[in-house]
Amino acid sequence: MLNIKALITSLFLSISTATIIHAVEVKDLIVEAKKEVNTIDTKALVKLLKEEPNLQIIDVRNKEEINKDGGYIKTNNYTNISRDKLEFLIAEYAKKDERFVVHCLDGNRSLLATKTLKDMGYKNVIWYKDSFNGWNKAGLKTSSLDKYPNSLLYNKIEKIADGVYTSIGITAPYWYESTAHNNNLGFIVGNDSVLVWNAGSSYLLAQSFHKEIQKITDKPVKYVVLENSQGHAMLGSNYWKEQGAQIVAHEIAKKEIEQKGEWVFNRLKKVLRDKFDGTKLTSVDKTFKETMSFDLGEKIVETKYFGYAHEHSDIAIWLPKEKILFAGDLAFNNRLLPIFEITETDKWLEAWEKVEELGANIVIPGHGDVTNMATVRKYTKDYLVYLRTEIEKILDEDGDLTEAYEINMDKYKHLDTYKELGRQNIARTFKRMEFE
């Protein structure tokens, strides 16, 4: 008869032995890897980054871990490639002779990842042994996939001036962790009512934004103004309608929502999953052609349309007394602006001249931190002018897109989303300028 107790004991001992052997093997791998890889500590990495500010830093944790661990290293050239995809994706991000740094949370996983990459022919790869824990403990600059975990908003409300507030979105593509809050939301409080800038990416995000507003004022939200027809501007509209607010947008935005709204809706639904609950595609209530004024009670707000920009329907809101501009996607900071297939960069520059005429003292861009005209000019107008000038030189010499990809973009490589948009912007601008 089978001795169950003996069998269980034998099985337990086999598993324990295998675990011990595995642990010993991993320990040996770590010891050997440390002998073979190039290593750097926190102090040396800080020094190296001063010498090479665009040095690529690759984080091999996945997004869930990054969120749980409290964020990621904020540098000019941060890349996240999860360990399970590293061998498959590394060629898209680094050349064999390029110097770059690999890290994780505590260094163990990234050590073996670094050894693997070296074996694959990446001879200049460096292991950052202190990794995120060491960087964070040193009090160095970090960022997060969610800066405000108590809310679906990516960031807390920031006061700009009396009665003027914003919540800055993450300067990254749509992510579940940030609830696709990657544009800047805002609101203006008057004596009688509130105007909200952008409906948000979903019903639940709009609801979370409203809860933050209600911590500051009990005035009713009367208007919600959409900067354009993009999902993160308009998909939360049905929440605001439930609160009795009127949805306002440019007349072109209304048409665009009717034409492409369902496609945008389905795209965000895939990204946000459960965070998209309650969201319904909603129509615009009021439209305007050039400008519209709102009196919130001792607080005047104007909508402004300057012409085609990054989208055909981009607008701004302007507080003439305070000289504060919510620029929307007319202006960018901290991240590279996107050039879409429909973007006409020459007309964007024409619209920009009208923006300049306002003489804004404070600018809340469509993406990035609150700043001034000089900064958004640098990362919007100056970028577009530089890109167009360099492409024009190539076209004048009958050059092709391959040459355009070699344009020196060092002044902009530190911007968030450069990896995602840098080459795309060149290609789309080149293609359109061929036929201007």
Side-chain angles (χ1 to χ4, degrees):
M1 187 174 177
L2 187 64
N3 188 326
I4 299 297
K5 184 176 180 181
L7 180 62
I8 292 172
T9 301
S10 175
L11 182 61
F12 175 77
L13 289 172
S14 297
I15 293 172
S16 299
T17 302
T19 302
I20 292 169
I21 291 172
H22 176 70
V24 170
E25 289 175 347
V26 171
K27 186 177 179 181
D28 289 342
L29 285 173
I30 289 173
V31 170
E32 290 303 312
K34 285 180 178 179
K35 296 176 182 178
E36 297 185 34
V37 301
N38 298 319
T39 304
I40 198 167
D41 62 12
T42 301
K43 184 177 180 181
L45 180 57
V46 170
K47 181 181 178 182
L48 182 58
L49 285 168
K50 287 181 179 178
E51 298 168 356
E52 298 180 41
N54 290 326
L55 178 73
Q56 183 168 209
I57 308 295
I58 296 180
D59 186 341
V60 297
R61 296 173 293 165
N62 60 43
K63 284 187 172 60
E64 290 76 16
E65 290 174 305
I66 293 169
N67 217 30
K68 178 184 173 185
D69 297 339
Y72 57 92
I73 294 172
K74 183 67 174 174
T75 64
N76 283 1
N77 196 358
Y78 169 87
T79 300
N80 174 220
I81 311 174
S82 61
R83 179 63 191 90
D84 59 317
K85 298 176 182 177
L86 187 63
E87 289 89 337
F88 303 98
L89 297 180
I90 187 62
E92 296 180 22
Y93 294 93
K95 297 176 182 178
K96 286 288 179 74
D97 60 350
E98 180 183 342
R99 178 155 69 170
F100 60 95
V101 174
V102 176
H103 78 91
C104 56
L105 176 65
D106 54 17
N108 288 332
R109 196 183 339 171
S110 55
L111 169 61
L112 298 180
T114 304
K115 173 65 166 58
T116 298
L117 291 175
K118 185 176 180 182
D119 291 343
M120 289 174 64
Y122 293 89
K123 302 301 182 184
N124 293 319
V125 59
I126 303 171
W127 171 51
Y128 174 33
K129 67 177 184 177
D130 299 333
S131 281
F132 178 76
N133 273 345
W135 184 273
N136 197 30
K137 287 177 181 176
L140 297 166
K141 193 172 183 180
T142 65
S143 192
S144 173
L145 301 179
D146 184 7
K147 286 189 174 180
Y148 191 23
N150 295 326
S151 168
L152 290 182
L153 291 174
Y154 170 69
N155 235 327
K156 291 181 179 180
I157 299 297
E158 177 182 348
K159 184 176 180 179
I160 306 303
D162 287 343
V164 185
Y165 303 84
T166 187
S167 176
I168 303 297
I170 191 170
T171 50
Y174 291 137
W175 280 346
Y176 174 85
E177 291 79 6
S178 58
T179 324
H181 178 198
N182 71 330
N183 63 331
N184 294 341
L185 307 177
F187 63 98
I188 297 105
V189 182
N191 288 342
D192 303 326
S193 60
V194 177
L195 181 147
V196 166
W197 176 238
N198 286 323
S201 62
S202 69
Y203 182 98
L204 293 177
L205 183 65
Q207 184 180 61
S208 294
F209 189 32
H210 195 200
K211 287 179 180 177
E212 298 301 312
I213 294 172
Q214 289 173 321
K215 292 177 182 178
I216 293 169
T217 179
D218 59 0
K219 301 290 192 305
V221 175
K222 191 172 182 179
Y223 307 103
V224 176
V225 180
L226 313 181
E227 64 177 310
N228 51 35
S229 62
Q230 292 181 34
H232 55 203
M234 62 86 174
L235 284 172
S237 292
N238 67 308
Y239 170 81
W240 297 109
K241 273 201 174 186
E242 287 181 7
Q243 314 311 309
Q246 293 182 337
I247 309 302
V248 182
H250 191 264
E251 59 186 18
I252 295 175
K254 185 179 190 303
K255 292 177 183 177
E256 289 175 341
I257 292 170
E258 291 168 352
Q259 292 167 357
K260 68 178 183 179
E262 188 174 347
W263 178 83
V264 174
F265 179 94
N266 290 328
R267 180 187 177 196
L268 263 292
K269 186 177 181 180
K270 289 179 181 177
V271 174
L272 293 180
R273 307 189 296 275
D274 58 303
K275 292 183 178 181
F276 207 64
D277 289 350
T279 307
K280 296 177 182 178
L281 197 58
T282 305
S283 60
V284 172
D285 298 313
K286 284 188 173 185
T287 63
F288 67 98
K289 189 171 184 178
E290 293 182 358
T291 186
M292 182 182 286
S293 183
F294 305 84
D295 186 349
L296 307 179
E298 301 298 319
K299 187 76 73 173
I300 301 297
V301 181
E302 300 172 354
T303 59
K304 296 285 187 181
Y305 181 66
F306 302 101
Y308 289 3
H310 133 281
E311 286 228 6
H312 291 171
S313 59
D314 288 321
I315 65 169
I317 55 174
W318 170 240
L319 283 75
K321 182 180 179 181
E322 297 85 352
K323 288 194 171 294
I324 296 174
L325 180 69
F326 283 81
D329 283 345
L330 286 154
F332 285 74
N333 185 26
N334 304 120
R335 60 155 285 185
L336 190 69
L337 62 82
I339 293 173
F340 297 157
E341 289 185 2
I342 64 168
T343 304
E344 300 177 52
T345 54
D346 56 334
K347 291 185 178 179
W348 191 343
L349 288 169
E350 290 175 9
W352 183 267
E353 295 306 315
K354 298 174 185 176
V355 174
E356 292 268 15
E357 290 173 4
L358 292 173
N361 291 331
I362 299 174
V363 180
I364 300 92
H367 301 263
D369 294 335
V370 178
T371 184
N372 52 42
M373 282 302 301
T375 301
V376 290
R377 184 186 302 117
K378 178 179 180 180
Y379 294 121
T380 309
K381 177 189 175 181
D382 292 355
Y383 168 75
L384 292 172
V385 169
Y386 176 75
L387 182 59
R388 286 179 57 84
T389 300
E390 294 302 306
I391 289 175
E392 187 174 13
K393 291 176 185 176
I394 293 168
L395 290 171
D396 287 345
E397 297 295 326
D398 294 323
D400 59 19
L401 182 57
T402 303
E403 293 176 62
Y405 283 141
E406 298 303 316
I407 293 172
N408 184 345
M409 303 301 290
D410 287 349
K411 290 186 292 186
Y412 305 103
K413 285 183 178 179
H414 69 282
L415 295 172
D416 292 345
T417 70
Y418 180 84
K419 288 188 179 72
E420 292 87 354
L421 300 173
R423 286 173 64 86
Q424 173 183 289
N425 286 355
I426 291 172
R428 287 177 173 169
T429 306
F430 186 93
K431 182 179 178 181
R432 186 168 284 275
M433 287 183 68
E434 280 185 299
F435 301 101
E436 282 185 1

